[in-house]
Amino acid sequence: MIQRDDILDFMRETAYKPMTYQELEKHFQIDSAQDFKDFLKLLNTLENEGHILRTRNERYGVPERMNLLRGKLQAHAKGFGFLIPEDRDHPDVYIHANDMAGAMNGDTILVRITAKSAGGGRMEGEVVRVVSRANKEIVGLFQMNEGYAFVIPDDKRVVRDVFVPKEAFNGAMDGHKVVVRIVTYPEGRAAAEGEVIEILGHKNDPGVDIISIIRKHQLPESFPEEVLEEAQAVPETISAADLVGRRDLRKKRIVTIDGEDAKDLDDAVNVERLENGNYLLGVHIADVSYYVTEGSALDREAYNRGCSAYLVDRVIPMLPHRLSNGICSLNPRVDRLTMSCEMEFDQNANVVRHDVFTSVINTTERMTYNNVRKLLSDEAEPELLERYEHLMDDFRAMKELAMKLRGRRMKRGAIDFDFQEAKILVDESGKPTGIVKRERSSAEQIIEEFMLVANETVAEHFHWLKVPFLYRVHEDPDSEKLMHFMEFITNFGYVVRGKGNTVHPRALQTLLDEIKGTKEETVISTVMLRSMKQAKYDAQNTGHFGLAAEFYSHFTSPIRRYPDLIIHRVIREVLEKGLMHDEKRHEYLSARMDDIAKQSSERERVAVDAERETEALKKAEFMQDKVGEEFDGIISSVTSFGIFVELDNTVEGLIRLSDMHDDYYHYHEAQHALIGERTSRIYRLGDEVKVRVARVSTEEHTIDFELVDMKPRRQKVSLVDALGAVRRGKKGGRGARGQRERTATAGGRRGAAGAAGRAVAGAKTAAGAKSAAGAKRAAAGTASRAGARKGAAATGAGAARGTGVEAAKARGLEAGAATGARAGAGGRRRKKKLAKK
C-alpha cells in the first residue's frame, strides 16, 4: 500500500514534474480497485492538509517546488501580517493587508513569494490558499442593528467584524460579550458570518472581562468528565507497592520553599555538608508521571493544555486539583513519591558526581520565601527562630552553596536580567486594590539556583545516554538585531566585544555588570532583552544562550508543565525498563518528541499572552480613578507614534506623539529617541519623566499619559496670515460664532445626504448577492476596523456632525451603526461646544 511519505518523497525529487493522478497511478503501479480508491483518498488528504497542491490543469506537486511556502499567519491589528514558515531556516514573509485572501490570525496558509530585498533578507508574499483555520470561535462585543448584528472581536489581530443574522442572535443583546461560532469565513470583500453560541454577560458585569480573555485564548475552564473520573480514582495515600524500587529518603531533613499562597508544591530540597568538605544537594521533584500514565485521559488533557496558566485572579491548572494539590503536592510530614537528582559539589561549586533516581520523601517543613529570608538576614522574630532552630544550619549551607553556584554561573557568562515584577492584588469581585512589587531575596535565589543546576545536570546526563528527550533551548540572538544593539550602546560610550556577528553571553553579562546602578541601566537592559530570541522546547539539544549552558531542560515542575512530565516518563523508562535497548520504543518516542516540543511551546505562548492581557486589564482598571493624577516614570519604549512610560508600580502607559504639542518630534530608530525639530529636546529610552494620567480604556486595556508642563508648540505664521487674522477678529465674535453653528449644521445635512446617496449605490452593488444576508455581508466587507470604519469616517465629517446613526443606517454598512453612533456622539459633543462658545 502506498504511504504518504512515498508520495511526498517522490514529488520532492529534483527531476519530478507535476503529474496528473493517472500518471501518478501508473508510476506507483497501482493495480487493484481498492488500492486505487485508497490512493485517491490519500491524495485528497495531502491536498486538504496543504502538503501537496493541485494546479489548474489537474497536476499535483509539493508547494516548495512551486514557489510556495507553508506556515502560520501572524496577523497585525493594522491588517498586514507575517508568514511564520514551518521551515525554521526560512525567514518570515511580510504579507500586505490586500494580499490576505481572507486568511485570519493563526491560520495555516500557503504563500507565494512576490518580492525579495536585494540581500535576500526581507521577503513579501501573497496568500494563495488557507490550508486550515485556527479560529473556529471568536469572542467579542455584540452590537445589534435592525435585523442583523456584528461581533467586534476582542482579539485586535482579527481585523474583520463578524456578521450575525437575526436568526443567529440566540438571545444576545446589544452590549453583551459573546462567543460566536464562525459559519462562513471572510471571502473577498464579504465579512465572516457567524452565530452566537454563548453569552458571557454584559460587558460591564463583574468577572466578564476575565472570562472573555479566557475564552479568547481558548483556555479550558473545566476538565472533561473522564479526566475527573481518572483523577478521582488516584489514591490519596502511598501504599507499600508504590515504594518498590525506590530509594527511601524519608529520614532526611527535606523542605519545600515557596510563596505564601502556593498550593501545588512540586519541588523540595536538602543540603548536607560531607566529611570531605563538599556539599551534597538533593533536588526532589513530585513524581507526577507515576500517576499520569501515557495515553490516559489525564495525559491527553495535560498534552492539550501544555501548562498551567496563572491569571491575575485565578489559576487554570494543567492537572485536576485532586492531583496538583493532593497526592502530587509535596505537603509537609506526609509520604510522597518523587524523582530525585542528587549532586555533590566541591568548594568551587563544580559537580563531582551526581545520581538520578526514583524516591520517596517526607518533607520536614513547608517553608515560605519570606520566613527563610528573615531567618537568613537576622530579621526573624524570636518565635520564628525558635521554631526553625533545628534547620538553621541547613539554611545557611543552602545560601552558601547557592551563592557559589550563582557566582560560577555568572563567571561562565550567564545573563541575569534584574527586572522588577509585580503582583496585582484583587478583591473578591475581581477589582484591583493594589500593585505590590515581588522581592527577589536570598530565599528566591536559593531555589532558583538549585532548580537551574538540577535542570542542567539532568539534561546533560540523558543527552549522553542518547535517549529521546526534550530540551529547553535558547538560540543565539539574530545577528541583525545584535548589530543594532551594539550600535545603540555606543551612544552611551559602551562597547561589547565579539567575533564577526556573534557575541558570547559573558560579554553581555559584563556589560550588565558595568551599567549596574547607572541611569542607563534600564534602557540598555531592555534593548538587550529585545534583541534576543524567545526560549522554546526542542527535541534537539542546541544549548541555552541566556544561561550560557550547553545542556538545559525543564525537569523541576511536572505539575504545571507538560515537558517536565514527559522527561520524568523517559527517565523512569531508562531506570526501570532499559529504554536504551528497546529499539521500537526508542523510535516511537523519538518521533513523538518534535510534536510534543512544538505543542508545548505553542501552549506556553498562549498562556503567557493570556497572563499578560489579564495584567494589562487589571492595571488599566487600577488606574481608572487616577485620571488627572501625576506620577514619576521612566521611558520604557520609544516608537514612531509616541513613547511608553513605566511608573514605579510597573504600570505602563503611552504618550502619543499627537499629544506632544511643544515641538515637532522626529523618530530616530537607531537611538531609540524622539528629537524635537525646534528645541532639539530629546526623549530617549530610560529617561525619567513626569506624567499625568490622561485617559484610561478598560476595553482596550490601555492607559494614555501626557507630559506635565507641556507647552504648546509655536506656529509658523506669515505676515499676511497675521494681518488677515487681525482683520477677521475685528468683525466681532457673535456673528462668527453664529456662522460656525450654521456651517456645522449645514455640513451635517450635506454629509448625511451624501452618505444616503452613496448608500443607494452601495445597495445596488450589494443586490448582486444571493440573499439579503449575503447582500449585507457583501456591502460591508468594509467591516474591518482597518477598512469599514475608516470608510464610514471618510463619508464626511458633516455626516458625523449631523445625524451620525441615521446616516450610518442609510449607508447600510456592516459596522455603520457602531461607527455612526460613535461619530454621531462626537458630532453632538462638538455642536454642544460650539453652542457654548
Side-chain angles (χ1 to χ4, degrees), residues 66-327:
M66 298 180 178
N67 194 33
L68 298 178
L69 270 177
R70 177 188 163 107
K72 282 196 174 182
L73 175 65
Q74 189 177 82
H76 191 277
K78 292 184 178 179
F80 63 85
F82 291 91
L83 171 78
I84 311 300
E86 290 182 352
D87 180 0
R88 296 180 185 179
D89 297 327
H90 198 286
D92 298 347
V93 180
Y94 171 80
I95 304 171
H96 191 274
N98 295 337
D99 297 324
M100 287 291 194
M104 302 169 71
N105 182 60
D107 288 351
T108 300
I109 56 176
L110 292 177
V111 168
R112 177 179 290 111
I113 305 299
T114 57
K116 295 183 180 180
S117 64
R122 180 183 171 89
M123 295 186 180
E124 295 186 16
E126 61 182 2
V127 177
V128 172
R129 181 180 160 196
V130 177
V131 176
S132 63
R133 294 285 186 177
N135 301 281
K136 306 289 192 299
E137 299 171 0
I138 298 288
V139 178
L141 181 65
F142 190 83
Q143 288 193 342
M144 193 161 57
N145 299 278
E146 293 181 5
Y148 64 95
F150 284 92
V151 172
I152 302 174
D154 284 356
D155 189 347
K156 304 310 175 190
R157 296 171 299 180
V158 180
V159 297
R160 293 192 181 191
D161 300 342
V162 181
F163 173 81
V164 183
K166 190 172 184 178
E167 61 272 17
F169 286 9
N170 294 330
M173 301 294 289
D174 196 60
H176 273 158
K177 276 294 186 76
V178 300
V179 180
V180 60
R181 182 175 66 84
I182 298 180
V183 177
T184 307
Y185 285 92
E187 187 175 347
R189 291 176 60 83
E193 184 176 326
E195 63 174 347
V196 175
I197 59 172
E198 185 179 5
I199 299 170
L200 303 179
H202 192 274
K203 63 178 181 179
N204 295 327
D205 290 346
V208 169
D209 48 7
I210 297 292
I211 293 294
S212 297
I213 293 173
I214 290 172
R215 290 287 199 280
K216 169 185 167 183
H217 293 280
Q218 300 177 28
L219 296 175
E221 285 187 273
S222 59
F223 288 94
E225 194 61 37
E226 61 174 345
V227 173
L228 294 175
E229 288 176 4
E230 278 192 5
Q232 199 63 34
V234 173
E236 294 183 340
T237 56
I238 308 299
S239 67
D242 298 326
L243 306 183
V244 175
R246 292 180 178 272
R247 197 174 299 180
D248 193 341
L249 305 178
R250 286 176 288 187
K251 292 184 179 180
K252 287 182 175 286
R253 290 193 305 273
I254 299 173
V255 298
T256 59
I257 306 177
D258 294 274
E260 277 80 354
D261 53 355
K263 294 181 177 63
D264 51 348
L265 315 178
D266 52 6
D267 57 82
V269 296
N270 71 297
V271 172
E272 301 172 24
R273 293 182 188 272
L274 302 178
E275 291 182 1
N276 61 3
N278 289 351
Y279 304 90
L280 181 66
L281 167 65
V283 175
H284 315 282
I285 310 300
D287 194 355
V288 180
S289 65
Y290 185 79
Y291 302 102
V292 181
T293 55
E294 184 176 5
S296 64
L298 280 165
D299 184 45
R300 291 194 299 272
E301 185 67 15
Y303 167 85
N304 290 334
R305 295 185 177 219
C307 59
S308 298
Y310 293 83
L311 309 184
V312 169
D313 63 343
R314 71 197 73 188
V315 176
I316 298 178
M318 185 179 79
L319 297 171
H321 290 300
R322 182 178 171 83
L323 272 73
S324 60
N325 296 353
I327 192 66

Side-chain angles (χ1 to χ4, degrees), residues 621-639:
E621 286 184 15
F622 181 72
M623 298 298 289
Q624 202 169 15
D625 61 353
K626 295 171 179 58
V627 173
E629 293 185 24
E630 297 179 1
F631 297 90
D632 292 320
I634 294 177
I635 296 177
S636 56
S637 182
V638 181
T639 70

Side-chain angles (χ1 to χ4, degrees), residues 506-546:
R506 185 187 298 110
L508 297 178
Q509 181 56 44
T510 301
L511 174 64
L512 290 177
D513 293 337
E514 200 174 340
I515 63 174
K516 195 78 173 174
T518 64
K519 184 181 178 182
E520 59 267 18
E521 178 182 4
T522 302
V523 51
I524 292 178
S525 299
T526 302
V527 178
M528 183 191 294
L529 183 63
R530 289 173 185 168
S531 70
M532 294 187 182
K533 294 183 179 179
Q534 290 180 338
K536 62 181 180 180
Y537 297 103
D538 203 308
Q540 305 302 319
N541 176 47
T542 57
H544 197 293
F545 178 84

Side-chain angles (χ1 to χ4, degrees), residues 622-758:
F622 181 72
M623 298 298 289
Q624 202 169 15
D625 61 353
K626 295 171 179 58
V627 173
E629 293 185 24
E630 297 179 1
F631 297 90
D632 292 320
I634 294 177
I635 296 177
S636 56
S637 182
V638 181
T639 70
S640 59
F641 53 85
I643 55 180
F644 286 91
V645 175
E646 184 177 308
L647 308 184
D648 186 56
N649 61 6
T650 72
V651 168
E652 191 175 56
L654 171 66
I655 301 174
R656 299 180 187 276
L657 196 61
S658 56
D659 291 337
M660 298 174 68
H661 305 304
D662 64 330
D663 203 345
Y664 297 93
Y665 287 90
H666 298 280
Y667 174 53
H668 293 257
E669 184 177 6
Q671 283 75 37
H672 295 264
L674 290 176
I675 302 178
E677 181 181 297
R678 177 177 56 82
T679 61
S680 296
R681 181 171 293 162
I682 300 175
Y683 291 103
R684 188 168 53 185
L685 200 66
D687 285 352
E688 296 176 0
V689 290
K690 193 172 188 67
V691 298
R692 183 184 299 110
V693 182
R695 292 172 295 273
V696 175
S697 171
T698 53
E699 289 186 2
E700 300 291 332
H701 312 162
T702 57
I703 301 162
D704 283 358
F705 293 146
E706 58 187 12
L707 287 165
V708 175
D709 299 329
M710 176 68 72
K711 297 178 181 178
R713 64 168 71 100
R714 294 179 188 172
Q715 300 293 331
K716 297 177 181 178
V717 182
S718 68
L719 180 60
V720 174
D721 291 338
L723 292 173
V726 171
R727 284 196 296 270
R728 286 193 297 274
K730 290 179 179 179
K731 290 182 179 180
R734 185 175 299 174
R737 284 194 295 271
Q739 179 61 32
R740 283 198 296 272
E741 289 187 21
R742 288 193 293 275
T743 302
T745 306
R749 286 195 294 268
R750 285 195 297 272
R758 280 184 290 276

